Amino acid sequence: SLEISAGDAMQFSSTEIIVKKSCAVITVTLIHTGKLPASGMGHNWVLTRAADFRGVVSDGVDAGTSNNFILEGDSRVLAFTKMIGGGESTSVSFSTKNIKTGEKYVFFCSYPGHWGIMKGTFTLLG
C-alpha cells in the first residue's frame, strides 16, 4: 500500500514510485490536499505503459468528466482512480501480474492539461 497526494498546485507529492515484484497486489491511495472542487481542479491517478501514455491521454479527453477522462474499457490503462476534489481521497488496488520488470510505466492525472505536469515513473523491481 502507498499514498500519494496532490493539491491545487497541480503536482503529485512524488514523481517516482518503486514497488517490489513480491507485492502481488498494490493499493494506491490518492489524497487531494487542495481546496478546489473536482470540477475545477480534479485529480486522479492513472497507470499505463510509457508507450501508451499519449494515446490514453488523447482518448481520455474525449471520454469526458463522467468517465474520469479515461476511455471506457481502455485496455492500455493498467489501473486508475476516480476523479476527486479538495479534501477527498480515493484508492485503487491492482495486481502486478501484468506489470513487467524492466518495462517503463507512467502514472499521471488524466484531467485535461494536468498530465503535462502531473506525472511520474512507476518501476517494478524483480
Side-chain angles (χ1 to χ4, degrees):
S1 292
L2 59 99
E3 289 184 351
I4 190 164
S5 61
D8 295 338
M10 286 183 16
Q11 290 183 334
F12 282 121
S13 57
S14 177
T15 58
E16 183 180 52
I17 295 174
I18 300 171
V19 177
K20 292 183 180 178
K21 189 165 181 69
S22 58
C23 296
V25 176
I26 299 168
T27 300
V28 175
T29 299
L30 173 64
I31 302 165
H32 194 315
T33 58
K35 296 185 192 269
L36 296 172
S39 60
M41 188 57 70
H43 298 317
N44 66 349
W45 187 90
V46 182
L47 179 65
T48 65
R49 287 175 180 78
D52 295 332
F53 170 63
R54 291 286 185 175
V56 169
V57 165
S58 179
D59 292 343
V61 171
D62 294 336
T65 307
S66 62
N67 290 314
N68 299 292
F69 298 103
I70 298 290
L71 183 66
E72 192 171 339
D74 193 335
S75 62
R76 300 169 297 180
V77 175
L78 302 171
F80 73 98
T81 67
K82 69 178 185 172
M83 196 68 59
I84 58 172
E88 297 179 314
S89 66
T90 186
S91 297
V92 62
S93 296
F94 56 97
S95 169
T96 57
K97 186 173 69 174
N98 294 324
I99 299 173
K100 298 181 176 103
T101 57
E103 195 165 341
K104 294 184 182 210
Y105 296 89
V106 175
F107 67 86
F108 61 96
C109 172
S110 65
Y111 194 94
H114 291 197
W115 56 268
I117 300 168
M118 293 185 69
K119 62 185 173 188
T121 59
F122 183 96
T123 306
L124 188 68
L125 295 180

